[in-house]
C-alpha cells in the first residue's frame, strides 16, 4: 500500500469530519484580531494547550496557577510547548530526533533514559489502554511512523496528525510522559503540514473537553478495524473544532480588551 494514510482519509465519516475541522480553522483564521496579534493568540493557546495536555496525564491544575506550579508533569508540558516553534523544520526531516527532544523536555525530573526508547516490557497506562507492545515491536512501529512522516501523502494534515498521536499514545515508546509527547507531536504535525501554520488551535483543550471519548477513541484505534481507526480520526477532528473554538474565545477576549 503506497499511501495508507489516503485509505484512512476515505474511511466512513472521515472526509466529512475533516472538512468540518477545516471550516472551523478557516473561520478562526478570519478573525480580525489575528491581523495584529496572532503571536499573542498563539502564546495564549499554547499555555492552554500545555495545561490541558498535563491534565490528560492526571495533573489538572487551574490555568491561573500553571505558571507557578512545581508539578513535574505540568512543568514538562510547558517546556514542550515552549520548544515546539523551534522544532518544525526538523520534524519534517528527522522526526525521531524531535521525538527524543520532546521526551527530554517532557520527562525531565521524573523520567529515566531521557530521549531514549524504553527497554522495559511494561509501560505506565494512565488512560487504561492495556499493555503496551514490547520494545522490539515498539521500535519497529516507530520506524513505520517515521516513514509516514517523511514521505509524501495525499491525505489531509489532520489524518496524519491523528495517526501520529495515536501511535505514540498506544506504543508509549519512552515509558514516561508519552501522552504529553503524543499530543505535542499531533500539534506539531497540524502546524507543519499546513492545517494550522500559526499554531493557534488548542487541540489539546479539545481532547480534554471530549472527556472519556479521548481514551475510548484510542481504544477504538487499537482495534485496528476500519471503523475503529475512523472513530479515532473523527475524534481528532472534533478536538480540532473545539480547539479552534478555544482560540476564537481568546481572540474575542482580546478584542474586548
Amino acid at each position: 500500500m503506497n499511501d495508507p494514510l489516503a485509505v484512512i482519509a476515505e474511511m466512513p465519516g472521515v472526509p466529512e469530519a475533516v472538512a468540518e475541522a477545516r471550516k472551523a480553522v478557516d473561520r478562526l483564521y478570519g478573525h480580525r484580531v489575528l491581523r495584529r496579534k496572532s503571536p499573542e493568540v498563539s502564546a495564549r493557546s499554547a499555555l492552554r494547550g500545555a495545561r490541558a495536555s498535563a491534565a490528560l496525564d492526571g495533573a489538572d491544575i487551574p490555568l491561573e496557577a500553571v505558571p507557578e506550579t512545581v508539578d513535574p508533569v505540568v512543568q514538562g508540558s510547558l517546556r514542550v510547548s515552549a520548544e515546539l516553534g523551534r522544532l518544525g523544520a526538523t520534524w519534517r526531516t528527522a522526526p525521531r530526533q524531535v521525538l527524543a527532544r520532546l521526551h527530554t523536555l517532557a520527562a525531565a525530573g521524573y523520567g529515566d533514559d531521557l530521549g531514549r526508547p524504553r527497554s522495559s516490557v511494561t509501560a505506565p497506562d494512565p488512560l487504561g489502554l492495556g499493555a503496551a507492545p514490547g520494545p522490539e515491536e515498539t521500535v519497529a512501529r516507530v520506524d513505520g511512523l517515521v516513514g509516514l512522516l517523511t514521505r509524501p501523502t495525499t491525505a489531509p494534515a489532520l489524518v496524519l496528525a491523528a495517526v501520529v498521536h495515536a501511535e505514540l499514545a498506544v506504543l508509549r515508546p519512552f515509558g514516561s510522559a508519552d501522552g504529553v509527547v503524543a499530543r505535542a507531536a499531533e500539534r506539531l504535525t497540524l502546524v507543519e503540514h499546513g492545517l494550522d501554520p500559526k499554531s493557534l488551535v488548542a487541540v489539546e483543550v479539545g481532547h480534554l473537553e471530549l472527556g472519556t471519548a479521548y481514551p475510548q477513541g484510542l481504544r477504538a484505534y487499537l482495534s485496528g478495524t476500519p471503523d475503529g481507526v475512523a472513530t479515532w480520526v473523527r475524534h481528532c477532528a472534533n478536538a480540532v473544532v473545539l480547539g479552534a473554538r478555544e482560540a476564537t474565545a481568546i481572540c474575542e477576549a482580546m478584542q474586548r480588551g
Side-chain angles (χ1 to χ4, degrees):
M1 193 180 301
N2 292 330
D3 192 354
L5 293 171
V7 176
I8 295 173
E10 296 302 322
M11 287 178 175
V14 170
E16 296 82 359
V18 169
E20 188 62 30
R22 175 81 263 180
K23 289 178 184 177
V25 175
D26 287 345
R27 285 194 297 269
L28 165 64
Y29 271 67
H31 201 288
R32 61 189 303 175
V33 164
L34 297 175
R35 298 173 192 170
R36 295 175 290 108
K37 296 185 177 180
S38 176
E40 187 175 346
V41 175
S42 177
R44 295 190 184 190
S45 169
L47 177 62
R48 285 160 172 76
R51 189 209 76 82
S53 189
L56 286 164
D57 269 11
D60 196 351
I61 304 296
L63 182 65
E64 61 274 13
V66 166
E68 290 79 31
T69 186
V70 295
D71 183 278
V73 176
V74 177
Q75 286 296 317
S77 189
L78 289 170
R79 286 191 297 268
V80 164
S81 180
E83 185 82 356
L84 282 186
R86 292 186 284 271
L87 297 175
T90 310
W91 184 236
R92 284 182 166 274
T93 58
R96 201 189 313 271
Q97 178 181 330
V98 173
L99 290 173
R101 177 61 177 161
L102 291 176
H103 182 250
T104 298
L105 293 166
Y110 70 97
D112 297 322
D113 295 324
L114 298 181
R116 298 174 62 85
R118 62 177 166 87
S119 57
S120 172
V121 297
T122 61
D125 186 19
L127 296 174
L129 303 179
E136 291 185 4
E137 181 183 347
T138 297
V139 168
R141 285 178 61 173
V142 170
D143 287 344
L145 182 60
V146 167
L148 290 178
L149 282 162
T150 54
R151 64 173 177 258
T153 178
T154 62
L158 194 150
V159 172
L160 175 58
V163 171
V164 167
H165 183 160
E167 283 292 299
L168 293 171
V170 302
L171 292 174
R172 286 159 272 168
F174 299 106
S176 59
D178 292 300
V180 170
V181 171
R183 290 181 289 274
E186 177 189 28
R187 185 162 184 155
L188 192 55
T189 304
L190 293 173
V191 170
E192 291 303 313
H193 289 264
L195 180 63
D196 180 26
K198 294 181 180 180
S199 193
L200 303 174
V201 177
V203 63
E204 307 92 340
V205 173
H207 289 301
L208 182 62
E209 287 189 9
L210 288 166
T212 58
Y214 178 61
Q216 288 170 357
L218 285 168
R219 285 192 286 271
Y221 178 88
L222 264 173
S223 72
T225 65
D227 184 61
V229 174
T231 294
W232 169 250
V233 178
R234 293 195 301 266
H235 165 86
C236 289
N238 290 337
V240 167
V241 171
L242 293 174
R245 186 180 70 182
E246 180 76 6
T248 301
I250 294 170
C251 292
E252 294 292 329
M254 292 173 63
Q255 185 168 275
R256 291 191 299 269

